[in-house]
Amino acid sequence: MQSDANTIGASVMFIGLLLGFFLCFYGYVAKRLLVSIRSIFAGSLVFLALALLVFQQQSLLTSLASNTVPSELWNVMFTDLDYQGVLINLLSFCIGGLLLFYLSRRKSFAAHLIVASFTGLSMGLVIFLLIRRFLPLQASFIMFLVLQVIILAYCLIRFDSYIALESAIAGSLLVSYLLSLFWYLDFWLFFSLWAILAFLGILNQLHRLGRPKPEKEQQNG
């Protein structure tokens, strides 16, 4: 069977499927690594959003109101006519990622709270951009606020469970995408496969996280 997946190589396909299944069903095992990687993404995205909101608010609102949000946002972030703005955006992106990565390696309660908050905020921003593709700006913003409160509360209350949930969703997406490339699956088949894998992965990871830790592991923290 020939497909576009062959262009990325059989070894890459195999490694991608292994990684996807691992993230989907056993992501909680690599929680510390996932939190570190996720913190880089969260810090970069939130700091970049704050920089745009503070220094380029009008351009940001105009791009969000357009019909081609991704391309308009890209033009706002990296316009050739505003070198200072581009530098601020790049510095915010880098500093945010490095700062959250540093905090994710700390064991204090304050650092944990900040990392959990930024993780929830970054996911809210991603969901807002996805919703904006299908709904008007005002409706997208209202839905974003509702979902943001729920996501942020879940991150702050049960951060380990949230990371496991994200891991299952990301792993199932990767597996579904690779299999869809290989078998030329229609979108509804891709979506169904992703939904089933995500559901099973979430159930498995939350179940394992809910099991009591062995006595030795509890003594070691």
Side-chain angles (χ1 to χ4, degrees):
M1 181 180 297
Q2 300 294 323
S3 73
D4 294 340
N6 292 332
T7 60
I8 62 175
S11 59
V12 176
M13 177 79 170
F14 180 71
I15 293 173
L17 288 175
L18 284 180
L19 177 62
F21 278 115
F22 174 79
L23 289 175
C24 184
F25 294 100
Y26 299 101
Y28 69 94
V29 176
K31 184 196 74 173
R32 187 172 178 82
L33 176 61
L34 292 178
V35 170
S36 298
I37 296 174
R38 185 65 176 82
S39 297
I40 296 173
F41 171 78
S44 299
L45 184 59
V46 174
F47 269 65
L48 177 60
L50 289 174
L52 291 173
L53 189 61
V54 172
F55 298 102
Q56 297 171 280
Q57 185 178 42
Q58 189 58 47
S59 299
L60 175 63
L61 294 176
T62 302
S63 65
L64 292 177
S66 67
N67 294 325
T68 55
V69 175
S71 60
E72 291 296 328
L73 276 177
W74 182 266
N75 292 332
V76 171
M77 290 185 291
F78 301 107
T79 176
D80 295 333
L81 303 178
D82 185 9
Y83 297 106
Q84 183 178 358
V86 173
L87 180 61
I88 292 174
N89 294 334
L90 289 175
L91 286 176
S92 301
F93 186 86
C94 296
I95 292 173
L98 292 174
L99 178 60
L100 261 292
F101 176 77
Y102 169 75
L103 292 176
S104 70
R105 312 301 293 180
R106 308 291 293 178
K107 295 185 178 297
S108 68
F109 176 77
H112 172 79
L113 195 64
I114 294 173
V115 170
S117 300
F118 272 68
T119 301
L121 288 172
S122 64
M123 179 51 66
L125 292 174
V126 171
I127 291 177
F128 171 74
L129 293 177
L130 293 176
I131 295 174
R132 182 61 189 87
R133 296 183 61 184
F134 306 100
L135 296 176
L137 180 59
Q138 291 184 343
S140 300
F141 187 70
I142 293 173
M143 187 172 292
F144 156 72
L145 289 178
V146 174
L147 293 175
Q148 182 66 91
V149 171
I150 297 173
I151 294 172
L152 193 56
Y154 190 52
C155 277
L156 293 174
I157 296 172
R158 301 191 62 182
F159 186 60
D160 289 351
S161 297
Y162 178 80
I163 292 297
L165 186 147
E166 271 198 3
S167 172
I169 293 175
S172 59
L173 273 175
L174 179 59
V175 172
S176 301
Y177 174 73
L178 291 174
L179 293 180
S180 296
L181 281 180
F182 188 76
W183 279 314
Y184 294 107
L185 299 181
D186 294 331
F187 176 77
W188 70 272
L189 287 173
F190 160 78
F191 183 82
S192 300
L193 179 61
W194 166 73
I196 293 172
L197 287 175
F199 178 73
L200 294 176
I202 291 171
L203 282 183
N204 179 72
Q205 294 204 49
L206 294 184
H207 171 70
R208 292 183 177 272
L209 282 174
R211 286 166 45 175
K213 296 181 180 180
E215 185 176 350
K216 291 184 178 180
E217 186 176 346
Q218 290 180 351
Q219 292 175 354
N220 294 331

